[in-house]
């Protein structure tokens, strides 16, 4: 669990799901309530997909898995994502 990269590693994959750059969004951790940019996530990529954890408490915030027929995104560890208004 000590080998991770930051949340910017999710930018390319999540661009397939979200039109705006999700790494600029603020995310609220469902575990501890911390509100931080997605770019602050700790992302673990030594798995079939990517697992992102809250930098404050370590809770899994989202999972992203690419299968041959689909892209799966789980976000049960987030209370919300807040995007800046368009044009910023
Ligand atoms: Zn947390």
């Amino acid at each position: 669990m000590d080998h991770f990269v930051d949340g910017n590693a999710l930018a390319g994959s999540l661009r397939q799901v979200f039109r705006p750059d999700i790494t600029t969004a603020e995310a609220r951790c469902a575990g501890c309530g911390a509100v931080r940019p997605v770019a602050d996530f700790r992302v673990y990529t030594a798995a079939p997909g990517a697992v992102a954890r809250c930098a404050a408490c370590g809770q899994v915030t989202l999972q992203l898995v690419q299968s041959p027929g689909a892209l799966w995104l789980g976000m049960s560890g987030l209370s919300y994502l807040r995007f800046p208004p368009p044009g910023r």
Side-chain angles (χ1 to χ4, degrees), residues 28-36 53-61 77:
R28 184 178 188 273
C29 174
C32 71
V35 177
R36 294 181 172 196
R53 292 182 175 272
C54 173
C57 74
Q59 168 159 319
V60 173
T61 52

Side-chain angles (χ1 to χ4, degrees), residues 24-79:
T24 63
E26 286 187 337
R28 184 178 188 273
C29 174
C32 71
V35 177
R36 294 181 172 196
V38 169
D40 283 357
F41 288 165
R42 293 179 178 178
V43 179
Y44 299 85
T45 57
V51 175
R53 292 182 175 272
C54 173
C57 74
Q59 168 159 319
V60 173
T61 52
L62 65 83
Q63 311 90 29
L64 185 65
V65 176
Q66 174 101 47
S67 70
L71 182 62
W72 300 83
L73 176 62
M75 299 194 306
S76 61
L78 293 177
S79 299

